[in-house]
Amino acid sequence: MSKSLNSICYHCGSSLLPNEAYSTDLNGVSRSFCCAGCMAIAQTIHGEGLEVFYARRVQSSDKPSAYLASDQIPAKLLPYDDPSLLGRFTRPVGDEGDLETTLRLEKIRCAACVWLCEQHLRRSPGVQDVQINYVTQKMKIIFSPKQVSLARLLFEIERIGYEAWPFEPSLSVERSKKEKRQLLTRLGVALLGMMQVMMYAWPSYVGANDITVEYDLLLGWTSWVLTVPVMLYSAGPIFQAAWRSVQSFRQTHMLGMDVPIALALALAFIAGTINLVTGSGQSYFDSITMFVAFILAARYVELLARQDAQGGAEALAKQLPATCERVLDYPQAQQIELVPVVNCMPGEILRVSPGEVAPADGMLIACESSVDESLLTGESKPIDKKIGDRIYAGTHNILNPLIMRIDAVGQSTRIAGIASLLDQALLAKPLMVSLAEKWAGYFVGFLLLCAFLSSAIWLYIDPSKAWTVLVAVLVASCPCALSLAVPTAMAAAQGAVTRLGLLIVRGHVMEGLIKASDLVLDKTGTLTMGQPELKEIVNLRPGYRREEALALATALEGGQRHPLALSLLRAAELENLSLPVLSGPVINQLGKGLSSGAYRLGSSSWIGAHQELQTEQYGQVHLADEQGLIASFIFLDTPRVGLQDFLSAVRARNITVHLVSGDDPATVAWWAQKVGIESYQGGCTPEDKYDYIERLQSAGRFVWAIGDGVNDAPLLARADISIAVGAGAPLASAGADAILTASSLTPLAKILLLADKTQMVIKENLLWALIYNLVAIPAAMMGLVNPWIAGVGMSLSSLAVTLNAWRLRKP
């Protein structure tokens, strides 16, 4: 290593001070650097053959730390290799012992940054796969812990000039709040500057002639002073984004919409300053402050709409409790303390009371119970849990207080794995968004050409108007409305859909709903609710009235939470029955039923009763005493809530409905006739379901499928768009495009209407943006529009587009 003198740092672009620069040979060329950290990063990049990064990246002025020159992992990263933290921030994947983690990236500025991070990590030993989402700045890495550690991965990211840390939804929420707060502060400064400058410019508006030259000069310089913070602070991000866009033009061949805005602001401020110094011509400080205030107001509304489209990870994170009951000194003292879930570690013991949600994955070690795993599996029937069975975060405990030992927290839980799948929604943009962004980028180039061409013509016709026309054209026809037309509508619709209970995994769902011609439904768990209702009471013993048997069975089920018990309780409540007082305590015998004294209520095998088989039946329980059977209670599997509303909405769009199920054909036929579905098929294997959809698609149909469970994987994967009922890892891995977390199908009926409304809003926005630009560009080119009027018109155009999309927030 030797000292040398050069102009700028090869890596970060910082200016080099004399006698304080580092230099080294890279591929036979001597390169200069500002510090040892930059030199180490460049050596790493060149050493792996990734030097093409320097031809496509956006320059950074950040200086990395000097410790990057060594290959030693810094002390601040080593704790991530601790088993407790590793278990929190990773989750197992595959059968080879690999781990997956989600990281939040910092300092990425362009597509070249994404490319470099991906390529560098892919070449690291043990890294199986890397996926980076530039929009969310999240990185998913699958790696082998036998070959590389989490701390090493974080250090490797730092070695090429970036920063990363394990992603936590709570940090993402705080980041969103910070972004909103910063934009609101910038807007406040711009509004304050606008009001003051407009007040000082008021005499020129009303044509006051009694103002002295000195006083007029004082007002002008005061306006200039107030405009400076608006330019530097409020409009600062606009200039930064424009500069990045210009720097990356060689790779992208497109300019962002901030380029004409920044150019117009800079030209107007320079012209106004020159006129103020020379004492001739008009100052544009009132136009500048008003323009910045209006554009930031439009962007603040757009930010609210974008943040309203809540990510899947945050939505699922809200399903988990913030606190839990930790058991101390188990099994001796079993003292309970209430602690935050984030403080829990693998190996600790938790108690989950009936009606509460499990905060982590673990194993049941005491107190058998039943849990509702519908959030994970879509199966609404409670699952009996015995000692040694797995308990998953997000599941509801129903029966008894259970004691569990934690073995997975944070990112390693199953529900976190589901959340990571939902983040894929932003990886693939809907077609309309991509096209709008592409044409908006081309339009910026067309706009710049029009602005300078019209200014050149006016320079020949009337030189006094050339500058004004240039600024007016740049401001008036800035494609903000065109750029915002589709993304704001999609963001607002996404937020509304999430609130309705539909988590979109892939971005084409809303567009696909418009095109759907056929709907294929599964039966169990999709068409039916899995929440039985008491249909009839049979085998009633002579001497017992129906009401007496129902009251006795309900008394035995008192305090129970499983579906059949709830059905009996609802039936007794509807009939206003008085429940008898049982002579002894109710004993729950898992897998059999309930007993109290001589009375028993449970399965036919335990009671010794004859099973009454009916096509549409959900299940049955039997009541008996020492003399034998008293009564049998038959329960019907009920249609899912909102089914008729949903089917009516589907038929109103002329979508053909098909019922395809693995249940026996007689049951499928009964349910198809009950709900009015003419096309149905029962006894289908997963392969049969796949073939059924394939035949429809071969006939040119656009198929929408709804199912649940792993057995619907081929059905969901083959369909053009698919929705899984119930949020579970099997469902997400089945290839569903969206997951319905609501128990009712009514949200799907509303989402169909919302899809139509979204399409209409997008067309309205694009039409308005087109009409505005067709009017604004010629008017500005002909010198009919002043810059401040152009700024107001452009900002109001953007606001109109954003507020129109804002209507989609309420489904």
Side-chain angles (χ1 to χ4, degrees):
M1 182 184 71
S2 64
K3 298 288 181 77
S4 68
L5 178 63
N6 208 326
S7 57
I8 62 171
C9 175
Y10 173 67
H11 175 71
C12 73
S14 299
S15 298
L16 301 181
L17 298 177
N19 301 321
E20 293 189 5
Y22 294 78
S23 70
T24 189
D25 287 341
L26 297 175
N27 294 345
V29 180
S30 179
R31 303 291 187 181
S32 299
F33 303 92
C34 63
C35 63
C38 280
M39 187 175 71
I41 291 173
Q43 287 175 326
T44 300
I45 294 173
H46 276 262
E48 297 191 7
L50 302 175
E51 59 273 11
V52 69
F53 162 74
Y54 288 104
R56 57 166 69 178
R57 55 84 184 265
V58 172
Q59 290 282 359
S60 166
S61 60
D62 297 330
K63 294 188 178 182
S65 302
Y67 68 75
L68 297 175
S70 68
D71 195 37
Q72 296 296 320
I73 301 176
K76 67 176 184 177
L77 298 179
L78 289 176
Y80 287 108
D81 286 340
D82 183 88
S84 60
L85 283 182
L86 186 65
R88 176 177 296 279
F89 297 130
T90 63
R91 49 193 172 274
V93 59
D95 300 327
E96 304 296 326
D98 292 341
L99 298 177
E100 180 181 274
T101 185
T102 300
L103 306 180
R104 170 74 76 177
L105 274 175
E106 274 291 323
K107 299 183 180 180
I108 60 172
R109 300 168 185 84
C110 60
C113 299
V114 173
W115 176 85
L116 178 62
C117 289
E118 286 185 344
Q119 295 300 318
H120 177 63
L121 288 178
R122 288 182 195 276
R123 300 185 184 194
S124 300
V127 174
Q128 311 297 336
D129 188 33
V130 180
Q131 294 182 12
I132 299 178
N133 188 318
Y134 176 68
V135 177
T136 61
Q137 295 190 334
K138 290 181 187 176
M139 170 191 289
K140 284 193 354 180
I141 307 176
I142 298 177
F143 65 98
S144 171
K146 299 176 183 177
Q147 297 178 270
V148 65
S149 67
L150 180 58
R152 167 59 67 176
L153 292 174
L154 297 175
F155 178 62
E156 288 299 326
I157 295 170
E158 283 200 34
R159 285 185 66 193
I160 53 173
Y162 304 93
E163 292 181 4
W165 66 86
F167 168 73
E168 289 284 356
S170 58
L171 296 178
S172 177
V173 173
E174 289 301 318
R175 189 181 183 88
S176 298
K177 291 180 179 178
K178 182 180 179 181
E179 183 182 7
K180 186 188 301 182
R181 187 166 54 249
Q182 287 180 341
L183 181 54
L184 192 59
T185 304
R186 296 181 192 276
L187 174 60
V189 171
L191 288 173
L192 182 61
M194 180 191 73
M195 290 186 294
Q196 293 298 318
V197 173
M198 293 287 286
M199 181 178 68
Y200 295 146
W202 183 254
S204 63
Y205 295 155
V206 297
N209 297 319
D210 55 347
I211 298 179
T212 63
V213 176
E214 293 79 5
Y215 189 64
D216 186 57
L217 187 62
L218 175 64
L219 291 179
W221 280 108
T222 305
S223 298
W224 184 88
V225 170
L226 291 170
T227 305
V228 169
V230 175
M231 289 287 290
L232 296 179
Y233 178 69
S234 298
I238 296 176
F239 288 103
Q240 293 170 3
W243 179 240
R244 288 195 297 266
S245 179
V246 171
Q247 286 184 311
S248 61
F249 178 76
R250 185 177 298 177
Q251 288 76 40
T252 62
H253 303 293
M254 289 190 297
L255 293 173
M257 67 179 183
D258 283 321
V259 173
I261 298 178
L263 189 58
L265 287 173
L267 291 176
F269 184 76
I270 293 172
T273 304
I274 293 174
N275 291 341
L276 182 62
V277 172
T278 60
S280 61
Q282 180 184 358
S283 67
Y284 301 101
F285 305 133
D286 51 344
S287 302
I288 291 172
T289 53
M290 180 185 296
F291 174 52
V292 174
F294 272 89
I295 191 63
L296 290 183
R299 292 190 177 188
Y300 182 72
V301 176
E302 188 269 336
L303 175 67
L304 295 180
R306 178 162 49 85
Q307 290 189 351
D308 208 46
Q310 187 181 30
E314 288 79 2
L316 284 179
K318 289 186 176 181
Q319 307 284 346
L320 300 180
T323 59
C324 61
E325 296 179 337
R326 184 163 61 190
V327 183
L328 302 178
D329 300 326
Y330 182 85
Q332 287 79 18
Q334 298 193 27
Q335 180 182 352
I336 303 296
E337 67 171 351
L338 192 66
V339 297
V341 173
V342 294
N343 292 343
C344 294
M345 295 294 177
E348 294 181 341
I349 309 300
L350 301 182
R351 184 183 74 176
V352 183
S353 302
E356 294 184 352
V357 177
D361 289 0
M363 180 180 293
L364 183 64
I365 60 174
C367 304
E368 296 180 344
S369 184
S370 293
V371 300
D372 179 4
E373 294 185 346
S374 58
L375 183 66
L376 298 174
T377 65
E379 175 57 63
S380 59
K381 288 185 178 180
I383 308 297
D384 293 333
K385 294 292 182 178
K386 300 179 181 180
I387 305 300
D389 287 349
R390 294 277 298 169
I391 303 294
Y392 297 105
T395 59
H396 287 257
N397 183 28
I398 294 177
L399 197 59
N400 303 315
L402 59 84
I403 305 296
M404 61 177 289
R405 177 183 289 110
I406 299 176
D407 58 21
V409 292
Q411 286 194 27
S412 59
T413 60
R414 177 179 288 188
I415 197 170
I418 300 169
S420 70
L421 290 173
L422 300 182
D423 285 331
Q424 295 177 4
L426 291 175
L427 291 175
K429 293 182 179 179
L431 179 61
M432 287 185 293
V433 175
S434 300
L435 289 176
E437 291 180 352
K438 177 181 178 181
W439 286 108
Y442 291 141
F443 185 71
V444 172
F446 171 74
L447 164 63
L448 294 175
L449 180 63
C450 289
F452 287 104
L453 181 62
S454 58
S455 178
I457 294 174
W458 276 103
L459 189 62
Y460 177 75
I461 299 175
D462 185 356
S464 64
K465 287 189 175 182
W467 191 265
T468 303
V469 168
L470 174 63
V471 175
V473 174
L474 287 172
V475 172
S477 53
C478 173
C480 292
L482 180 61
S483 300
L484 293 173
V486 179
T488 51
M490 296 300 293
Q494 177 89 358
V497 164
T498 302
R499 285 192 298 275
L500 287 173
L502 185 71
L503 298 177
I504 293 179
V505 179
R506 295 176 181 85
H508 68 281
V509 171
M510 297 299 285
E511 296 178 61
L513 291 177
I514 304 293
K515 304 176 184 177
S517 61
D518 289 73
L519 170 63
V520 177
L521 292 170
D522 179 45
K523 186 190 81 67
T524 306
T526 303
L527 191 73
T528 58
M529 190 66 182
Q531 294 183 359
E533 290 184 359
L534 180 63
K535 180 185 178 185
E536 59 180 330
I537 301 176
V538 299
N539 301 328
L540 194 63
R541 180 192 296 178
Y544 267 90
R545 293 187 301 112
R546 176 186 178 282
E547 292 76 9
E548 292 175 341
L550 177 58
L552 183 56
T554 304
L556 284 165
E557 292 283 13
Q560 303 299 315
R561 307 301 298 170
H562 61 81
L564 297 184
L566 295 175
S567 179
L568 287 172
L569 291 170
R570 286 194 300 268
E573 185 177 350
L574 286 174
E575 298 184 23
N576 295 319
L577 299 181
S578 297
L579 305 185
V581 178
L582 300 175
S583 58
V586 177
I587 300 174
N588 185 355
Q589 302 193 33
L590 196 65
K592 296 180 179 179
L594 305 168
S595 64
S596 175
Y599 295 109
R600 293 180 298 158
L601 180 70
S603 64
S604 57
S605 58
W606 187 45
I607 301 296
H610 174 67
Q611 188 86 358
E612 297 286 338
L613 297 178
Q614 298 184 26
T615 301
E616 70 278 16
Q617 187 183 120
Y618 177 94
Q620 56 185 270
V621 295
H622 307 273
L623 176 65
D625 57 13
E626 69 276 1
Q627 299 178 16
L629 183 66
I630 297 176
S632 298
F633 301 87
I634 310 298
F635 299 88
L636 175 68
D637 192 358
T638 57
R640 184 171 286 273
V641 176
L643 176 62
Q644 289 302 330
D645 292 339
F646 172 57
L647 292 178
S648 298
V650 168
R651 291 178 181 128
R653 299 170 61 90
N654 296 319
I655 298 176
T656 305
V657 184
H658 308 261
L659 178 59
V660 181
S661 174
D663 287 2
D664 65 273
T667 301
V668 174
W670 188 91
W671 276 103
Q673 294 171 7
K674 178 179 176 61
V675 299
I677 298 177
E678 297 180 359
S679 178
Y680 56 87
Q681 182 175 328
C684 295
T685 64
E687 293 77 11
D688 293 334
K689 295 179 180 181
Y690 185 94
D691 293 338
Y692 192 96
I693 289 184
E694 197 173 42
R695 288 195 299 271
L696 290 174
Q697 291 173 330
S698 298
R701 312 294 288 178
F702 193 93
V703 181
W704 168 22
I706 303 178
D708 77 313
V710 177
N711 64 322
D712 292 325
L715 175 84
L716 299 175
R718 179 62 191 178
D720 296 295
I721 54 169
S722 56
I723 295 177
V725 179
L731 303 176
S733 62
D737 300 317
I739 298 173
L740 181 67
T741 58
S743 60
S744 171
L745 292 178
T746 301
L748 291 183
K750 295 180 179 179
I751 289 167
L752 278 173
L753 298 176
L754 183 62
D756 290 333
K757 189 176 179 181
T758 302
Q759 187 84 351
M760 180 184 67
V761 167
I762 289 175
K763 290 179 179 178
E764 290 173 351
N765 283 354
L766 290 174
L767 181 63
W768 164 250
L770 178 63
I771 292 175
Y772 168 77
N773 282 287
L774 288 177
V775 173
I777 291 178
M781 292 178 69
M782 289 186 292
L784 302 177
V785 178
N786 291 325
W788 74 271
I789 297 177
V792 173
M794 189 279 291
S795 301
L796 290 178
S797 174
S798 300
L799 275 175
V801 166
T802 305
L803 292 176
N804 189 39
W806 195 252
R807 297 188 295 121
L808 296 171
R809 293 180 65 251
K810 295 183 179 180

